[in-house]
Amino acid sequence: MEKFTSHTGIGVPLRQSNVDTDQIIPAVFLKRITRTGFEDALFASWRKDEQFILNQEPFNQGSVLVAGPDFGTGSSREHAVWALKDYGFRAVLSSRFADIFRGNSGKQGLLAAVVAQDDVELIWKELENHPGTQITVDLESKTVTCGNLVAPFEIDDYTRWRLLEGLDDIGLTLQREADIAAYEGQRPSFKPTTLPARG
Amino acid sequence: MGRTLAEKVWDAHVVRKGEDGQPDLLYIDLHLVHEVTSPQAFEGLRLAGRPLRRPDLTIATEDHNTPTLDIDKPIADPTSRTQIETLRANCKEFGVRLHSLGDKEQGIVHVVGPQLGLTQPGLTIVCGDSHTSTHGAFGALAMGIGTSEVEHVMATQTLPLKPFKTMAITVEGTLKPGVSSKDIILAVIAKIGTGGGQGYVLEYRGSAIRALSMEARMTICNMSIEAGARAGMVAPDETTYEFMKGRPHAPQGAEWDTAVEYWNTLHTDEDAVFDAEVFLDADELEPFVTWGTNPGQGVSLSEAVPDPDSFGDENSKSAARRALQYMDLAPGTAMKDIRVDTVFLGSCTNSRLEDLRAAADIVRGRQKDPNVRMLVVPGSARVRLEAEAEGLDRVFKEFGAEWRFAGCSMCLGMNPDQLAPGERCASTSNRNFEGRQGKGGRTHLVSPVVAAATAIRGTLSSPSDLEPIPAATSAA
């Protein structure tokens, strides 16, 4: 995974709560079997509306999305994270993320930064009054800078460490092979197996 | 201090305790796989040259993309076909058991696990699908995961996880006739909100939950994710064991007795403390229905579409305004005056035999509103066969509904079963998001009996709104 230390880019105000993953990427785009090439799928329904924020200069070049509470609810589709990344987003700010979306982001190097709603409101105003304003998201100091505002954000320490180091989860876990094998050795025999199939 | 059910299952699966704020490494007992969220994970294994660690703890089925008509013909949509064919090739290469379209165990992954007896109390169960929470009805810790985690489980049979908080949802009392577990969970979500369960495992308890069948408990646990919770659980009891006994992969003989002895320990201790508690009175509950575009935007069926200005904060107000615009509804409209075009009975929430029976009991001997189309999509091929053995297919067909083959179908419209733009649907599924059932489609989430009554009257209706069946018809 690519390392994430700090990122600066154009902020995009998305004044909406409960942005579910069906909006981030509609199900019709989930039929692909690749992990990349989803930039056209991001917010596909909303992008048909000319007024949608990503259809406006300079927001269409944005890389830091600033959304209302409960971002990424619903489906577990990691495609939502892939689509955001493929479009060019490196960070999403919201006062509350759905658990699975936040987990998926952490695995893919997309920073899901929890920012207080009051600060989100201030950032929205700044971005709307001064379109093209750049936001700096600094993972070392856990701060967001937008115009004169410097706000703290929250992220769990483990995800932060993995993002800073660019570490691959599977590689880390495979170092625990002995622990896994030991656990398997003492699993009760009444636990089910899928093979051989019984019918 | 005592432990909650969730904590007991968690503790029993810790492979290695996390130090210094690191997550625990948890063992995964059962990994369910389907065609949509797995191809990139299999590809990841291949690229890294890693084997799939435990094919014997993994099972796959085809559900999201599969057509519900003409299943003996090649899948018409080439991208859907490719995804299904990719799953078949991957399962073959990595030795994973697969139930393909046409197989009697094929169906929605969350219907298949329980019907095979693979879903058992005390297990950790994961799947690249958020509705994996369904399996918590058996007292399993079951959660949806993303594709990176799917690959992680394939490679290691474990997941690094941060401990959850626990929330008790206590439902006491007796449900009125015509009120079901779907109404319980819709009311819970309306009460705590779509983010209210975030970071928690929910445990459903109380006399009203104890009185529910396994199918009804699955409906409740299924929609835990709609309250933001990753998992929902019900402690196992005799109802659980009765459901499991004799299923293909349930323990047998002496193993069954050993298992039951263990399962009987899987309940929250009297002195355990939950991080949060919510109470609901089952006696007061009415059939529930959504008016908006997230599952928390619901009211009792006897109420009206709310006024956005009645909501507390500015975010909820603007969300309600936006939702009403999308749904083409005016504040103050009685929910029962809302006319629908389509009724969908299906999805991992409500497509089990009991759901089909409940709906069939309402429509039997009655006429469908001629302007409404109704799709009945059993959750699995086996559910379809069992329903046909009872003659339910004939009941639905005589009523004028379409009797389809098993799959996720119109819940998310990845197959041809979709709403047209502007079309309005009463749906027994789990999400009323914008465009979820088809671009521009409008969804009202309902229970199976409300779906059935709505198909008769053409407007959102509860069974109590129906005229009695004329004597001549009911005697037949």
Side-chain angles (χ1 to χ4, degrees):
Chain A
M1 189 170 72
E2 210 181 323
K3 284 187 186 182
F4 190 115
T5 47
S6 177
H7 171 77
T8 301
I10 292 175
V12 179
L14 184 63
R15 270 193 188 265
Q16 225 169 294
S17 59
N18 273 288
V19 176
D20 60 74
T21 53
D22 274 81
Q23 308 315 317
I24 300 172
I25 179 168
V28 66
F29 295 98
L30 311 188
K31 298 180 186 183
R32 300 176 186 171
I33 57 172
T34 56
R35 217 182 257 259
T36 53
F38 289 95
E39 58 274 11
D40 59 325
L42 180 71
F43 296 121
S45 296
W46 293 350
R47 272 161 80 185
K48 296 214 168 73
D49 173 4
E50 281 178 18
Q51 300 301 310
F52 184 59
I53 193 83
L54 288 184
N55 288 332
Q56 297 171 36
E57 292 272 358
F59 298 116
N60 56 354
Q61 296 151 47
S63 61
V64 180
L65 187 66
V66 188
D70 294 315
F71 187 85
T73 53
S75 157
S76 65
R77 58 190 71 166
E78 197 161 305
H79 309 67
V81 174
W82 302 337
L84 284 161
K85 277 192 71 191
D86 288 349
Y87 184 89
F89 284 106
R90 295 297 316 280
V92 183
L93 317 184
S94 169
S95 64
R96 194 159 62 183
F97 290 95
D99 276 332
I100 303 179
F101 177 86
R102 196 178 42 187
N104 289 343
S105 298
K107 311 282 180 194
Q108 290 296 322
L110 178 75
L111 179 63
V114 178
V115 176
Q117 185 61 29
D118 289 348
D119 289 328
V120 168
E121 304 274 354
L122 293 173
I123 295 171
W124 278 343
K125 278 192 191 123
E126 176 70 21
L127 296 177
E128 284 161 0
N129 292 337
H130 306 284
T133 298
Q134 302 229 335
I135 296 180
T136 295
V137 189
D138 187 74
L139 188 54
E140 293 275 6
S141 63
K142 295 200 281 183
T143 56
V144 178
T145 307
C146 177
N148 294 325
L149 175 79
V150 182
F153 71 81
E154 285 174 38
I155 184 167
D156 74 88
D157 292 340
Y158 181 68
T159 304
R160 176 171 172 268
W161 170 67
R162 281 185 38 261
L163 286 170
L164 287 170
E165 301 291 329
L167 291 171
D168 164 35
D169 250 357
I170 297 178
L172 289 174
T173 298
L174 286 174
Q175 294 171 8
R176 306 300 181 201
E177 166 60 33
D179 294 322
I180 299 170
Y183 183 91
E184 286 177 326
Q186 46 90 40
R187 283 180 82 230
S189 60
F190 62 76
K191 294 224 177 183
T193 58
T194 58
L195 297 171
R198 295 196 221 151
Chain B
M1 195 177 72
R3 294 179 297 164
T4 63
L5 167 61
E7 287 160 350
K8 286 181 183 179
V9 179
W10 181 285
D11 291 347
H13 289 84
V14 174
V15 168
R16 191 186 166 94
K17 201 102 190 108
E19 292 152 10
D20 306 327
Q22 297 218 353
D24 290 350
L25 190 63
L26 247 59
Y27 199 78
I28 302 302
D29 289 313
L30 181 63
H31 187 190
L32 307 166
V33 173
H34 63 87
E35 76 274 16
V36 178
T37 54
S38 67
Q40 297 86 354
F42 280 116
E43 182 66 10
L45 289 186
R46 245 190 313 269
L47 289 173
R50 289 171 176 148
L52 193 154
R53 184 182 179 92
R54 295 295 299 264
D56 62 331
L57 301 182
T58 312
I59 187 168
T61 180
E62 301 165 358
D63 56 7
H64 283 64
N65 272 280
T66 51
T68 57
L69 287 172
D70 300 327
I71 64 165
D72 51 337
K73 301 200 179 98
I75 297 173
D77 178 341
T79 51
S80 288
R81 192 169 66 233
T82 301
Q83 200 164 56
I84 296 275
E85 283 168 357
T86 303
L87 178 70
R88 290 176 187 173
N90 281 329
C91 286
K92 197 168 173 207
E93 179 182 343
F94 288 94
V96 173
R97 172 178 169 187
L98 168 67
H99 293 293
S100 279
L101 197 58
D103 180 317
K104 72 174 188 297
E105 303 298 349
Q106 176 268 340
I108 307 176
V109 65
H110 309 308
V111 178
V112 170
Q115 89 184 8
L116 284 171
L118 285 166
T119 300
Q120 297 180 8
L123 301 185
T124 45
I125 301 176
V126 297
C127 174
D129 188 284
S130 60
H131 291 111
T132 310
S133 56
T134 311
H135 307 265
F138 292 78
L141 183 61
M143 64 203 126
I145 56 177
T147 296
S148 290
E149 290 172 309
V150 169
E151 184 181 338
H152 194 114
V153 175
M154 286 176 171
T156 70
Q157 204 59 35
T158 65
L159 271 183
L161 289 168
K162 285 266 192 172
F164 299 113
K165 291 178 284 184
T166 56
M167 184 187 292
I169 310 257
T170 305
V171 191
E172 297 287 359
T174 312
L175 293 175
K176 284 183 258 202
V179 182
S180 68
S181 67
K182 181 66 163 280
D183 304 307
I184 293 180
I185 189 61
L186 285 174
V188 166
I189 300 163
K191 185 166 181 158
I192 70 174
T194 56
Q198 203 232 312
Y200 291 94
V201 171
L202 312 183
E203 182 183 331
Y204 303 97
R205 48 209 321 246
S207 57
I209 302 295
R210 286 286 139 230
L212 295 175
S213 68
M214 286 315 295
E215 287 90 339
R217 293 178 189 181
M218 282 189 253
T219 300
I220 291 190
C221 288
N222 171 276
M223 289 190 71
S224 302
I225 179 73
E226 262 54 73
R230 203 127 173 221
M233 301 175 87
V234 176
D237 58 13
E238 285 304 319
T239 304
T240 319
Y241 308 153
E242 207 47 50
F243 179 95
M244 292 179 56
K245 215 167 198 168
R247 292 192 181 262
H249 286 274
Q252 293 169 347
E255 296 253 283
W256 172 267
D257 298 332
T258 313
V260 169
E261 204 176 312
Y262 170 60
W263 296 340
N264 281 334
T265 69
L266 297 175
H267 55 80
T268 294
D269 294 328
E270 298 234 344
D271 56 341
V273 179
F274 289 95
D275 297 303
E277 294 201 58
V278 171
F279 296 91
L280 206 69
D281 185 351
D283 297 306
E284 295 296 310
L285 215 55
E286 300 281 341
F288 221 80
V289 57
T290 59
W291 51 266
T293 54
N294 74 55
Q297 292 174 323
V299 289
S300 288
L301 187 51
S302 56
E303 293 180 49
V305 176
D307 187 335
D309 289 333
S310 67
F311 291 94
D313 61 293
E314 199 44 52
N315 265 315
S316 302
K317 282 179 189 165
S318 68
R321 264 182 229 116
R322 191 188 158 93
L324 290 188
Q325 189 182 7
Y326 181 85
M327 294 296 289
D328 191 27
L329 291 172
T333 307
M335 291 308 295
K336 287 188 179 177
D337 286 344
I338 297 172
R339 177 156 277 284
V340 306
D341 307 296
T342 294
V343 170
F344 172 60
L345 176 58
S347 87
C348 57
T349 313
N350 282 124
S351 65
R352 297 173 183 84
L353 190 56
E354 181 180 281
D355 302 312
L356 304 188
R357 280 180 188 152
D361 284 345
I362 303 292
V363 305
R364 190 179 282 114
R366 288 192 164 101
Q367 294 293 314
K368 182 175 68 64
D369 181 300
N371 296 316
V372 170
R373 80 166 158 154
M374 181 177 187
L375 255 66
V376 183
V377 185
S380 70
R382 182 175 286 281
V383 167
R384 185 180 145 103
L385 287 172
E386 288 172 355
E388 287 177 349
E390 295 181 11
L392 301 186
D393 57 324
R394 286 202 313 278
V395 173
F396 285 117
K397 284 188 214 163
E398 282 165 16
F399 177 66
E402 298 175 43
W403 179 247
R404 297 293 189 91
F405 287 91
C408 299
S409 180
M410 196 182 267
C411 175
L412 81 170
M414 280 191 77
N415 76 349
D417 307 338
Q418 296 176 13
L419 295 181
E423 210 178 334
R424 189 180 297 280
C425 180
S427 177
T428 64
S429 57
N430 40 57
R431 289 187 177 136
N432 51 341
F433 297 154
E434 287 180 27
R436 168 85 177 179
Q437 296 192 283
K439 207 156 74 65
R442 298 174 176 132
T443 304
H444 296 276
L445 299 178
V446 298
S447 72
V449 294
V450 168
T454 299
I456 295 163
R457 285 165 51 93
T459 48
L460 291 172
S461 302
S462 94
S464 61
D465 297 323
L466 298 173
E467 305 284 334
I469 301 174
T473 319
S474 61

